[in-house]
Amino acid sequence: MPVRTTGGTGPVATTNPAPQETDEKVGHETTEPVADKGPGPDEARHPSPDEAHHPSPDEARHLNSPLLLTLLLLTAVMLQGPIRGALSAPVMQSWMTVFVAVMVQALPFLVLGVLLSAAIAVFVPPSFFARAMPKRPALAVPVAGVAGAVLPGCECASVPVAGALVRRGVTPAAALAFLLSAPAINPIVLTATAVAFPGNPEMVLARFVASLLVACAMGWLWHRVGRADWLRPPDRPTYEGQGKGAAFWGSVRHDVTHAGGFLVVGAMAAATLKAVVPEEWLRAAAGNPVFSVLALAVLAVLLSICSEADAFVAASLTQFSLTARLTFLVVGPMIDLKLFAMQAGTFGRAFALRFAPATFALAVVVSALTGTVLL
C-alpha cells in the first residue's frame, strides 16, 4: 500500500507499494526493459552523414536544373555561328514556319479545351452526366456525337475534354464519339468551310454528314470490341481537400503541361515531314481518283492543320477532286500527328495504337462514299 505521511510526525497509513511507482518516486533502478522513445532532441537536430549527403530525387533534380540550363546556354553561345547558319537554310526555314504555324493555331484551342476539362472535372457533378446521357451506350454515342457541335474549338481542345468526360463516368464509347465529332462539325469549322468553298455549298453538308458518321461508327465500334485495359489514362494528381478554385487551377496547370508537351512533339513531326515531302508527289497523285483520295488523307495526317483552318488549305488544292478534298477535311480533325501524340498522352499508348489506324481507315472509306453521293 502507498505510504502517506502528514507533517512528518502524524499517523502513517501503509499499503503495498507498486514497484514501478516506488522506483519512479524514489529513483531506484528497475530491471524492466525501457521502451525506445526515439532519438532525443540533440539527435534530431544532427542527421546522420548518409542523410546529410544524399538528397532526395526531387532535391537532386532541383539542384541540377540550373546547372543543366547553364551548360545548355553556354553551348548555344559557343555554337551560335553554326546554329545561325543551319537555321538560315531553306529547309530549316520551312520547318520553323510549319512548326510555328501548327503551334500558333493549336495552342489557343488547347488552352480552351484544358479550361473546359478543368471546369468539367471540378464544377460539374458526376450525377449530371448520368442524367444527361442515355443509359444505353448505343444511344449515348449519337447523342455525344451531336453534342460535339457545341464546342467552338479544334481537335486540340476536344482531347482533354474527352479525357475529362471519361474520368467523370461517361461511357468511353460516347466520349470518343464526342472527341471525333467536336472538331469537325462545330459552327466555326462549318462556317470556315462555307467561306473556303463559296461555289460548292454542298461541301459543308458533306463534311458534316461524313464526320458525324465516322464519329458515331467509331463510338459503336469501341463499344463492341474495345477493352478497358486498352484505355489507361495516366495518373493525375488529386485535389481532395482543396477549394474549387485551387483544384481548378491545379487541373489546368497539369493538363497544359501534359498535353502541351505532346502537342510540341506532334508539331515537330508534322514540320519535319512537311519539309522533306516533295511537292511533285502531290501533282502525280492528283491524276488518279483512288491515289488522290489516299494522298490527301495521308497529307492531312502529316500536315496536322487545325480544323478551323484546314478548309482554306483544302480549297487551295485545286488539282484534286472535291471528293479527295473532302477526305482531307474529314481525316485531318480526327487523326493527325499531333492528335496521335495527344491521344497517347491522354488515354495511353495502347489505345492510340489501335484507335488511330481504325479511325483513319474508316474516315477514308466514309468520306469517299459520302463524296460520291453528295458531291
Side-chain angles (χ1 to χ4, degrees), residues 111 114-115 118-119 236 239 247-257:
V111 174
V114 165
L115 293 174
R236 295 172 54 87
Y239 303 100
F248 175 81
W249 289 114
S251 179
V252 168
R253 287 192 299 269
H254 174 272
D255 284 352
V256 166
T257 304

Side-chain angles (χ1 to χ4, degrees), residues 6 47 72 81 115 124-125 134 141 166 168 218 232 241 256 285 288-289 307 315 317-318 336-337 340 344 374:
T6 306
L72 181 61
L115 293 174
V124 180
V141 166
V166 172
R168 303 302 281 176
M218 285 302 301
R232 293 183 177 179
V256 166
N288 186 292
S307 63
L317 300 173
T318 54
D336 57 29
L337 292 178
F340 178 82
L374 297 180

Side-chain angles (χ1 to χ4, degrees), residues 213-235:
L213 287 177
V214 174
C216 293
M218 285 302 301
W220 287 322
L221 181 63
W222 179 265
H223 175 61
R224 293 285 297 176
V225 303
R227 289 165 42 182
D229 59 336
W230 292 347
L231 193 65
R232 293 183 177 179
D235 295 335

Side-chain angles (χ1 to χ4, degrees), residues 25-97:
K25 292 180 180 180
V26 181
H28 291 171
E29 295 179 358
T30 179
T31 58
E32 294 182 4
V34 179
D36 185 8
K37 298 181 180 180
D42 294 337
E43 296 176 296
R45 285 194 298 268
H46 300 286
S48 66
D50 291 339
E51 294 175 345
H53 297 287
H54 290 82
S56 65
D58 291 338
E59 293 174 345
R61 284 193 296 268
H62 178 72
L63 294 174
N64 291 334
S65 295
L67 177 61
L68 294 176
L69 179 59
T70 302
L71 293 176
L72 181 61
L73 291 176
L74 289 175
T75 303
V77 170
M78 290 186 296
L79 300 178
Q80 59 178 323
I83 292 176
R84 188 181 297 111
L87 294 178
S88 62
V91 173
M92 286 304 303
Q93 290 182 351
S94 176
W95 187 94
M96 294 178 62
T97 300

